[in-house]
Amino acid sequence: MRSVWAAALLLRRIRADRGSLALLLVVVATTSFLLAAAPRLLNRVTDDALRTSLRSVTSAERDVRVSQSARIPPGPGGGVSAPASQGDRLADGFPSTLAALVSGRTMVVTTVRLDVPQPPIDQTRLSLRYQDGLTEITRLVAGRWPESRGVPLQPGGFWGGGDGTGAANPPPVTVEAALSTVEARKIGVGVGDRLGVAVDETDPLVAGTPFFLGPTEVLVVGLFEPLDPNAADWSGDTSLLDVALTGSIFRPIMNATAYVSAAIYPDLFASGLPFRYEWRFHTDPDR
């Protein structure tokens, strides 16, 4: 009887507090829903914020760039096949989540900085660079694209000059290169001009190591312009389009970068000088 009485009392309480009980059930259900949905909502908001951030920044800010200062032999295929293979190995080491975002790759190989002892205008330093796909994102406006002449650069040796053969005045090795129209104008050269060059001893890659390059000259064979100077291809590095000024207002130094073909890499490598390598892995925000 006592159990029946208790059940009857409970039913009367429920009928009397029906509104409060319904409110309690709504609160509990809403709380449970929010607790279950909050992590998904947070993930969604975070993902949207990340996508927005990646789309709003420049390519240089979201791409993965790996650089190395070294000497990578040309490899059996010649050209830049060995440095390209190094880029493959780097990509293979990416975690799958990062590898899925990579939509393309650009490799850049740059020589140590070279000094121009007899500049046409102001003091000039010149770097020679191969960059993947440059001929596809530029237009040739004068001359032609550079080629390899098949003559390796000669190291001058440590603590001395010459070409290593005992010749007092060996003929210079000619390296064909192309410049942007802006750079050519600012350093005062055109198609057909030749610039004698030597190793710039202030370059960090050779600082403290007195290395001498054999007689070498850079022959300007072409001038180019970018198809779109604001394209992502130039994001973060426009050194192939314009000079960088250093020095002082009274003694400016023009730092220019000239494009060379992949085929000339073995000839440049023979100089014994180190190179700067960079592999740029382009990420796609839509992925």
Side-chain angles (χ1 to χ4, degrees), residues 79-141:
V80 291
S81 59
S85 297
Q86 176 69 0
D88 295 336
R89 288 188 289 272
L90 290 171
D92 291 340
F94 287 172
S96 58
T97 50
L98 175 58
L101 302 179
V102 176
S103 59
R105 183 197 312 171
T106 300
M107 182 182 67
V108 178
V109 181
T110 310
T111 66
V112 298
R113 209 163 46 227
L114 302 173
D115 183 55
V116 181
Q118 298 180 338
I121 305 178
D122 293 314
Q123 183 177 355
T124 301
R125 292 170 180 166
L126 184 66
S127 299
L128 305 178
R129 172 177 296 179
Y130 166 76
Q131 178 171 316
D132 285 340
L134 180 122
T135 58
E136 300 171 5
I137 58 176
T138 58
R139 57 175 171 269
L140 197 64
V141 297

Side-chain angles (χ1 to χ4, degrees), residues 79 128 144-154 171-178 191-195 215-222 259-268 270:
L128 305 178
R144 59 176 175 81
W145 290 113
E147 300 174 354
S148 169
R149 297 195 170 194
V151 181
L153 271 66
Q154 298 296 321
V173 175
T174 300
V175 177
E176 295 186 358
V191 173
D193 287 339
R194 299 172 183 265
L195 297 172
T216 305
E217 64 178 11
V218 175
L219 171 62
V220 180
V221 298
Y259 171 75
V260 295
S261 69
I264 201 175
Y265 179 67
D267 300 334
L268 299 176

